[in-house]
Amino acid sequence: MALLAGCMSGPDYAGPPQLATAAGNAFVRAGPEIDPFAPIAGDWWTLLGDPVLNELEARALVGNPGVAAARARIEQARASLRQERANRLPAVAAQATAVQANIPGLDIGSGPPPGSPGAPADTEEQDSLSVYNVGLNANWEIDFAGGQARRVEAINAQAAASVANAEDAKVQLAAEIARAYVSLREAQGRLELVQRERDLQQQILELTYQRYTQGALALFPVGNANAELELLKSQIAEAQADIDVFKDTLAVLTGEAPGALDGLLAAQAEIPLPPERVAVGDPAALIARRPDVRAAERMLAAANARIGVAEAARFPKISFMGILGLGGSEPDDILDPGNLSAIALPRLQWNLLDSGRTAASIDQAESARDEAEARYLEVVLGALRDAEQSLARFGQQRANVAALAQISRQADTAAELNEQRRAAGVISQGELDTSIRKREQARANLDRAIAAMTNGWIAIQKSLGLGWVELSRDNRTSVEPAPVDRKSVMKPEQS
């Protein structure tokens, strides 16, 4: 028994399986704009340099219901851990007992049996039993083979997984807030550009109609100009709907009712730009940092500990129950210190024949461990895939922004030249309006590309598992970025 008390059933946890990456300690899809330095694990959104976004992220981390639910799950897991640890200790309870029994044939006296010579004629007194007792009782089961210790180990790992899941909820929330905010700014800029296009197209329609009334044009160009105007009106309605949707999305993500943030988000602002260099670290740091990977690893540790819980059923169980109190056959006996009663009841239980139930439980626990191991590898591979894909897309999006920025600059130059030609009387007002419309369209295309690039940078931060570490106020101040030069980000040579 002493040897069993010092043993631990089941295999000791040896850590998660190792997975080798294709490029060793570097990401395969990292472009020239990627740095191998460790990224900021906390408030990465401050690198975008947008105070409104910073406020939205702060509100969301405090008021989002999903984050609050994750915190509540952590408290549940910690309470379960405390409960399981308490189960390993003796339990003491106060009790008061009164027993009245009348059982025919009961003989608790020391005299001769009923009906024998010298036995009392009245046997009703011998058939009655009265017991009164007030005191304490204690129960304790000795943890042979470490079954209870393994159970505590499993619940402790589950509690750690709950913490990691809560951190993962913060990562997801921070990325959703940033993406919705970038999309809102793109929609607001798109609305302004399309409204200017609509005004220009209205002028083009009026000029085309004048030429038609003068007999210089057929009716067909008038119809085309009017159809173009109606299309722009529909695009205005679409942009306005997108703005409302993103405002409501941000309100709900921060724990507010739809429309509550309209005042904060009403003023138009430029789409935030990511920094020119992106720090990503290495795949090993990614695996160690991402909360979903850590949650899967802790669930693997819990499944491994449950094998020991199942194997502990093969060994004997010894429990003790003790009773200490005052009492006797009369109610007044509970007040007499001389009527002290003490009972010790040790119990030994050993399942010698269970028809394979314990072996089946062990097989089930081992299969659950194998499933958790496969799930861990799946999560790790998914994390590496997310990082590599986001890096590949970000490089393409930067190149796209550089190309569209060049097109936008050419459209600006063309519009300026046509304004000079119009002032000189070389071209008509309609031709100038068409050139200006092309400039606005080029700017809208560039804005969409910038929004996609910033969202691609946000996807990198999410894939790296950043945003769950709460930085101190001093650290937050230290990571505030300098203002981003928008022109330098859009240079073709930096694509």
Side-chain angles (χ1 to χ4, degrees):
M1 293 300 179
L3 290 175
L4 287 175
C7 294
M8 289 286 287
S9 59
D12 292 331
Y13 182 59
Q18 300 299 316
L19 182 66
T21 58
N25 59 350
F27 289 102
V28 179
R29 311 302 177 194
E33 72 281 354
I34 303 301
D35 287 333
F37 308 114
I40 294 176
D43 303 348
W44 53 262
W45 49 86
T46 58
L47 297 176
L48 294 174
D50 193 306
V52 177
L53 175 59
N54 295 342
E55 181 177 353
L56 291 172
E57 295 283 2
R59 289 190 183 190
L61 292 176
V62 174
N64 182 266
V67 174
R71 294 193 188 103
R73 286 191 292 271
I74 292 176
E75 295 304 320
Q76 295 176 30
R78 288 174 176 170
S80 298
L81 178 59
R82 292 194 302 269
Q83 181 182 25
E84 195 60 41
R85 285 175 175 170
N87 289 338
R88 301 182 63 187
L89 303 176
V92 180
Q95 68 172 10
T97 304
V99 178
Q100 294 289 338
N102 189 355
I103 304 174
L106 178 65
D107 184 8
I108 59 174
S110 58
S116 61
D122 187 4
T123 61
E124 181 178 355
E125 182 178 353
Q126 289 186 321
D127 293 342
S128 300
L129 175 64
S130 298
V131 176
Y132 301 91
N133 187 276
V134 174
L136 302 174
N137 67 69
N139 294 278
W140 185 28
E141 179 178 338
I142 298 179
D143 186 17
F144 277 124
Q148 293 180 355
R150 290 297 192 192
R151 189 176 291 108
V152 170
E153 181 182 338
I155 295 178
N156 189 35
Q158 284 183 312
S162 298
V163 174
N165 285 330
E167 294 167 350
D168 187 57
K170 292 181 181 180
V171 172
Q172 305 294 329
L173 175 63
E176 287 185 42
I177 288 283
R179 281 198 300 259
Y181 181 77
V182 170
S183 299
L184 170 66
R185 293 313 188 194
E186 186 276 329
Q188 289 175 330
R190 174 162 38 99
L191 175 63
E192 181 182 10
L193 292 174
V194 176
Q195 285 175 339
R196 290 206 294 259
E197 282 192 65
R198 177 200 58 190
D199 296 338
L200 292 170
Q201 186 61 29
Q202 182 68 42
Q203 294 180 13
I204 293 173
L205 174 61
E206 292 173 357
L207 293 173
T208 304
Y209 185 74
Q210 289 177 6
R211 296 185 65 188
Y212 164 72
T213 57
Q214 295 171 0
L217 286 177
L219 183 60
F220 182 72
V222 177
N224 287 342
N226 185 67
E228 189 70 19
L229 179 62
E230 294 301 322
L231 178 61
L232 291 172
K233 290 179 180 179
S234 68
Q235 292 176 357
I236 290 174
E238 180 183 3
Q240 186 60 60
D242 289 343
I243 292 172
D244 294 339
V245 167
F246 291 126
K247 285 181 178 179
D248 292 343
T249 299
L250 289 169
V252 172
L253 288 175
T254 56
E256 302 283 350
L261 299 182
D262 285 1
L264 176 64
L265 302 173
Q268 184 177 345
E270 290 185 331
I271 302 170
L273 284 174
E276 297 182 21
R277 308 293 301 176
V278 183
V280 298
D282 55 65
L286 164 66
I287 294 173
R289 184 193 312 114
R290 273 190 55 143
D292 57 341
V293 174
R294 288 187 285 111
E297 186 273 332
R298 288 290 82 200
M299 295 304 295
L300 172 58
N304 187 82
R306 292 192 191 97
I307 298 176
V309 176
E311 289 187 355
R314 288 177 170 174
F315 299 95
K317 294 181 181 179
I318 290 185
S319 60
F320 292 93
M321 184 179 71
I323 299 176
L324 180 65
L326 298 175
S329 60
E330 298 295 335
D332 294 342
D333 293 341
I334 63 175
L335 304 176
D336 185 0
N339 294 326
L340 181 65
S341 59
I343 302 175
L345 300 174
R347 181 182 178 215
L348 172 65
Q349 180 183 355
W350 198 343
N351 295 329
L352 299 178
L353 180 62
D354 64 355
S355 302
R357 294 182 180 87
T358 301
S361 298
I362 295 173
D363 291 343
Q364 183 180 15
E366 290 176 345
S367 298
R369 189 268 316 274
D370 294 341
E371 179 186 1
E373 185 177 64
R375 172 60 181 163
Y376 170 80
L377 292 174
E378 181 183 20
V379 173
V380 170
L381 289 173
L384 295 174
R385 177 201 60 200
D386 292 344
E388 296 287 3
Q389 290 181 351
S390 61
L391 290 172
R393 290 195 181 99
F394 183 67
Q396 178 270 326
Q397 289 158 349
R398 283 176 62 94
N400 192 36
V401 167
L404 291 177
Q406 181 67 18
I407 294 174
S408 180
R409 282 192 288 268
Q410 293 173 354
D412 291 343
T413 302
E416 292 174 0
L417 292 175
N418 284 330
E419 287 176 351
Q420 297 173 7
R421 296 177 67 192
R422 174 56 184 163
V426 177
I427 61 174
S428 65
Q429 182 64 39
E431 291 174 316
L432 174 60
D433 290 343
T434 300
S435 177
I436 296 176
R437 269 207 64 197
K438 291 181 179 179
R439 181 186 66 186
E440 302 302 327
Q441 290 172 352
R443 289 178 178 176
N445 292 335
L446 177 59
D447 282 348
R448 279 193 291 268
I450 292 174
M453 180 183 66
T454 303
N455 280 328
W457 181 82
I458 294 170
I460 292 177
Q461 311 309 302
K462 178 184 176 183
S463 68
L464 295 177
L466 305 176
W468 58 268
V469 177
E470 295 182 0
L471 299 178
S472 64
R473 184 175 299 274
D474 294 337
N475 288 336
R476 287 176 179 171
T477 303
S478 65
V479 299
E480 284 292 338
V484 177
D485 185 359
R486 301 182 70 87
K487 292 182 179 180
S488 65
V489 174
M490 302 174 197
K491 288 182 180 178
E493 60 270 16
Q494 293 183 340
S495 63

